[in-house]
């Protein structure tokens, strides 16, 4: 049998997943990555003895990673060691008002009960619904290529969908169960990963609460990049040829078929099928002749993008006190910050932020006696991010971090690197400098997402966080699987 050659563009979770699935189904696969190392938004870098994960830091939904490796007869533990974090994370509501979220469910319920009597029982019902949504959502719905409504018309699935609160907002759903503002903020936090506020995210996504509370927050020893390192080893075991510093400049199309790609170096790589795991907009608007684009610039401009971020990677020359591995700073109201992200895009006055200190758990990511500190402020896409503005926000959040954690930090920072919109654009061709792709609003769910297949070019497919099923590491892994299945189905 003639082996088909697939070219996959981009070595993020989605590209690696698609490439490995195709290679293990008898495709010869070349994966082309513009950067010098793999992982896309989940790359790492080292400096001054610190090792920084550049993007994702929350390992949620461990079953999705198990599923991924099990397709190839493997387990995550063949590639990296996981630790369950306890506390899972801390929520900072204000000075001296910090809530540790215990990994143990009974301890968690006891904490809720202290805040709002009766809420522990409410949590049982809330989680029972969330579990059902998780099981149907993550093990069935997200694996649909979402190319036609017909995929969703089986009677049992329609019944499932009706039970899944697709048409109610997450905000209304949470308020049916809880009254305390603190608990509401806690329950609404996970949907921020999906790129919109709880008012605009369907209550289907309370499945994220099940992931958070029941399945737990995990950490791969040596950092999140270990997942990528494991995926790269597995891809290579399966025969995927990965090439770095290999930026694709054009997908060459003739007679309605992609014939291959042209690299920035001028080299051409031929292909029977092309799967683009780079940002969808970049592929659709810059890598193919406009006459083959799936969507217009107006279409893209109207999409609700998930936020961008201002990040700081900091090496601190002492141990920090009063900080957990994950710390959510909710010490300012969400409303005005959300308005600055989604309604009137601008730099926020008083941003919420997230501080990650992986060296609390892992000695390998910082020199002895020191701390690895990662700070993240979610921001509207497409903002100007001058050095001066970055520095202003560094000081705004450092003032709060130092005050609330009760220590001097700035004078102990011996390594500092910032990262924002212009870096996302330069490194990943990110549309509007987005960090997490396209938001999972109702109007951007399933068949309403940018299609995983080009409508005019029969062998050109898309994968990654701007198409189905959506943003985040687990969905990107699934996206690669879904697109590979479609390629295989159409070619068999
Ligand atoms: C700061 C940050 C924090 C996050 N935190 C979390 C978290 O805690 N948990 C979680 O689950 N998710 C998190 N996410 C989201 C998650 O990281 C992403 O959803 C996921 O990594 C996206 O994977 P992807 O494969 O779709 O895209 P990418 O990782 O962007 O991969 C696309 C690849 O294509 C390459 N490429 C682009 N153009 C070309 C070209 N022309 N030629 C060749 N290659 C090209 C890029 O270099 C890149 O390697 C976070 C993201 C960011 C940025």
């Amino acid at each position: 049998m003639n082996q088909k050659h697939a070219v996959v563009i981009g070595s993020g979770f989605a590209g690696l997943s698609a490439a490995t699935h195709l290679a293990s189904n008898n495709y010869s696969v070349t994966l082309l990555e513009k950067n010098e190392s793999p992982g896309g938004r989940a790359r790492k870098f080292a400096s001054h003895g610190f090792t920084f994960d550049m993007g994702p830091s929350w390992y949620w939904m461990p079953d999705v990673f198990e599923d991924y490796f099990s397709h190839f007869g493997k387990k995550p533990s063949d590639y990296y060691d996981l630790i369950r974090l306890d506390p899972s994370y801390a929520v900072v509501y204000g000075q001296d008002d910090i809530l540790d979220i215990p990994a143990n469910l009974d301890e968690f319920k006891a904490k809720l009960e202290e805040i709002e009597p009766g809420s522990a029982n409410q949590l049982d019902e809330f989680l029972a619904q969330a579990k059902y949504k998780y099981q149907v959502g993550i093990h069935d719905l997200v694996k649909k290529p979402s190319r036609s409504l017909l995929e969703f018309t089986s009677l049992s699935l329609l019944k499932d969908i009706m039970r899944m609160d697709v048409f109610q907002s997450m905000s209304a759903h949470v308020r049916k169960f809880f009254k305390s503002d603190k608990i509401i903020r806690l329950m609404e936090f996970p949907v921020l990963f999906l790129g919109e506020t709880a008012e605009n995210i369907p209550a289907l996504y309370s499945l994220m609460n099940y992931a958070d509370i029941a399945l737990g927050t995990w950490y791969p020893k040596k950092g999140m990049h270990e997942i990528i390192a494991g995926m790269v080893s597995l891809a290579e075991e399966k025969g995927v040829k990965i090439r770095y510093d290999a930026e694709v400049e054009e997908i060459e199309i003739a007679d309605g078929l992609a014939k291959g790609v042209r690299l920035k170096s001028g080299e051409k790589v031929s292909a029977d099928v092309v799967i683009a795991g780079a940002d969808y907009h970049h592929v659709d608007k810059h890598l193919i002749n406009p006459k083959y684009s799936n969507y217009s610039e107006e279409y893209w401009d109207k999409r609700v993008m998930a936020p961008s971020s201002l990040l700081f990677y900091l090496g601190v020359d002492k141990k920090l006190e009063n900080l957990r591995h994950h710390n959510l700073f909710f010490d300012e109201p969400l409303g005005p910050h959300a308005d600055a992200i989604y309604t009137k895009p601008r730099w926020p006055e008083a941003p919420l932020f997230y501080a990650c200190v992986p060296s609390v758990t892992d000695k390998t990511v910082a020199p002895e006696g020191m701390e690895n500190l990662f700070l993240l402020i979610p921001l509207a896409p497409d903002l100007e991010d001058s050095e001066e503005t970055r520095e202003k926000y560094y000081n705004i959040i450092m003032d709060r971090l130092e005050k609330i954690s009760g220590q001097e930090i700035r004078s102990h920072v011996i390594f500092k690197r910032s990262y924002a919109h212009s870096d996302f654009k330069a490194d990943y061709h990110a549309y509007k400098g987005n960090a997490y792709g396209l938001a999972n609003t109702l109007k951007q769910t399933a068949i309403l997402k940018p299609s995983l297949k080009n409508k005019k070019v029969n062998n050109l497919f898309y994968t990654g966080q701007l198409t189905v099923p959506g943003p985040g590491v687990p969905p990107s892994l699934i996206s690669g699987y879904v697109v590979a299945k479609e390629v295989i189905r159409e070619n068999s």
Side-chain angles (χ1 to χ4, degrees):
M1 210 170 73
N2 260 351
Q3 203 182 26
K4 291 226 157 79
H5 182 224
V7 162
V8 177
I9 305 172
S11 68
F13 284 101
L16 280 168
S17 166
T20 311
H21 280 291
L22 287 173
S24 79
N25 280 275
N26 199 34
Y27 278 73
S28 103
V29 183
T30 304
L31 192 156
L32 301 167
E33 167 55 52
K34 88 180 258 294
N35 291 320
E36 62 183 18
S37 61
R41 283 156 166 94
R43 285 181 304 154
K44 69 169 181 183
F45 75 91
S47 191
H48 294 67
F50 300 90
T51 304
F52 295 97
D53 276 316
M54 293 186 71
S57 53
W58 298 76
Y59 190 107
W60 274 10
M61 307 186 180
D63 51 334
V64 173
F65 297 85
E66 277 157 27
D67 269 7
Y68 177 72
F69 285 103
S70 74
H71 284 292
F72 312 103
K74 302 282 185 183
K75 304 185 285 302
S77 60
D78 293 329
Y79 298 95
Y80 52 88
D81 291 326
L82 280 176
I83 305 170
R84 181 157 182 186
L85 298 184
D86 189 11
S88 303
Y89 51 95
V91 184
V92 178
Y93 292 110
Q95 186 88 46
D96 302 323
D97 190 3
I98 299 171
L99 180 66
D100 274 332
I101 306 299
N104 177 283
L105 184 57
D106 288 332
E107 288 173 30
F108 178 60
K109 281 159 84 172
K111 293 243 183 188
L112 291 194
E113 202 60 23
E114 276 170 29
I115 301 172
E116 180 185 328
S119 58
N121 281 342
Q122 290 293 89
L123 182 75
D124 284 335
E125 177 53 26
F126 179 75
L127 275 187
Q129 293 186 17
K131 180 177 181 181
Y132 168 79
K133 292 175 193 174
Y134 187 86
Q135 282 164 345
V136 179
I138 297 296
H139 296 291
D140 186 0
L141 286 183
V142 294
K143 293 187 184 151
K144 300 212 171 285
S146 298
R147 290 173 61 188
S148 150
L149 258 185
L150 293 176
E151 294 168 32
F152 300 88
T153 51
S154 90
L155 199 56
S156 64
L157 190 56
L158 281 177
K159 271 197 220 147
D160 283 339
I161 292 173
M162 292 321 286
R163 277 182 67 191
M164 290 184 58
D165 288 332
V166 175
F167 301 110
Q168 184 185 195
S169 79
M170 185 65 192
S171 164
H173 180 65
V174 169
R175 282 166 178 75
K176 279 200 322 208
F177 290 86
F178 308 104
K179 293 193 180 52
S180 144
D181 183 52
K182 274 188 182 170
I183 300 180
I184 289 171
R185 293 184 80 177
L186 184 60
M187 296 301 166
E188 288 184 349
F189 137 70
V191 301
L192 295 178
F193 280 129
L194 306 175
E196 249 289 7
T197 56
E199 285 81 26
N200 295 313
I201 293 281
L204 155 70
Y205 290 106
S206 72
L207 66 84
M208 296 286 284
N209 298 98
Y210 179 74
D212 170 5
I213 298 163
L215 303 181
T217 301
W218 299 77
Y219 174 78
K221 277 189 199 161
K222 296 194 203 161
M224 294 290 282
H225 189 78
E226 289 300 291
I227 316 165
I228 291 292
M231 290 177 70
V232 166
S233 298
L234 178 56
E236 288 174 342
E237 267 173 63
K238 293 286 163 200
V240 177
K241 189 170 168 221
I242 306 182
R243 295 181 52 187
Y244 301 106
D245 294 314
E247 177 165 354
V248 173
E249 223 165 41
E250 187 187 355
I251 299 171
E252 296 189 318
I253 298 166
D255 308 324
L257 287 176
K259 302 292 179 189
V261 299
R262 181 174 49 78
L263 303 185
K264 205 172 173 182
S265 62
E267 185 191 347
K268 294 188 178 194
V269 182
S270 62
D272 297 305
V273 56
V274 175
I275 296 105
D279 271 38
Y280 200 128
H281 172 270
H282 166 64
V283 178
D284 207 39
K285 302 314 287 178
H286 298 290
L287 297 190
I288 57 180
N289 184 316
K291 69 181 180 191
Y292 298 115
S293 289
N294 261 358
Y295 304 103
S296 64
E297 278 298 354
E298 294 69 39
Y299 168 92
W300 282 109
D301 198 41
K302 285 191 184 134
R303 292 313 89 193
V304 181
M305 298 309 292
S308 186
S309 299
L310 171 59
L311 311 171
F312 293 100
Y313 309 101
L314 306 171
V316 182
D317 74 357
K318 66 168 183 178
K319 290 310 270 181
L320 295 173
E321 286 166 13
N322 304 323
L323 288 172
R324 303 298 191 184
H325 186 128
H326 297 295
N327 309 269
L328 299 168
F329 281 78
F330 288 178
D331 54 321
E332 294 285 350
L334 172 63
H337 188 168
D339 187 69
I341 298 178
Y342 302 108
T343 316
K344 290 191 201 120
R346 61 188 188 279
W347 285 84
E349 302 267 301
L352 278 68
F353 67 98
Y354 158 59
C356 181
V357 198
S359 45
V360 164
T361 312
D362 185 351
K363 288 198 178 96
T364 69
V365 297
E368 200 173 336
M370 303 199 188
E371 217 86 86
N372 175 319
L373 175 61
F374 166 93
L375 302 175
L376 181 155
I377 308 176
L379 293 168
D382 229 5
L383 299 178
E384 285 293 325
D385 64 338
S386 68
E387 261 321 303
E388 201 187 350
T389 311
R390 293 181 186 203
E391 202 51 23
K392 174 178 159 194
Y393 279 83
Y394 177 69
N395 285 315
I396 289 176
I397 59 175
M398 268 297 182
D399 283 346
R400 278 161 53 201
L401 184 62
E402 289 182 336
K403 186 160 177 243
I404 290 176
S405 69
Q407 63 205 315
E408 218 176 86
I409 301 177
R410 265 168 288 200
S411 56
H412 291 273
V413 170
I414 57 169
F415 173 79
K416 177 176 169 194
R417 175 178 173 188
S418 67
Y419 198 96
H421 304 69
S422 48
D423 301 295
F424 283 108
K425 287 182 191 165
D427 285 352
Y428 312 119
H429 295 302
Y431 180 54
K432 297 185 176 177
N434 80 81
Y436 322 105
L438 206 66
N440 269 352
T441 59
L442 180 57
K443 288 184 186 157
Q444 296 184 167
T445 293
I447 56 161
L448 301 175
K449 281 229 189 275
S451 167
L452 63 62
K453 186 170 176 191
N454 188 287
K455 294 167 189 166
K456 295 163 204 149
V457 183
N458 203 33
N459 60 347
L460 173 57
F461 293 80
Y462 304 81
T463 186
Q465 61 175 357
L466 280 89
T467 179
V468 286
V473 173
S476 301
L477 275 181
I478 293 169
S479 182
Y481 167 66
V482 171
V483 79
K485 262 198 337 189
E486 283 299 280
V487 170
I488 294 160
R489 189 178 61 79
E490 291 198 357
N491 284 286
S492 56

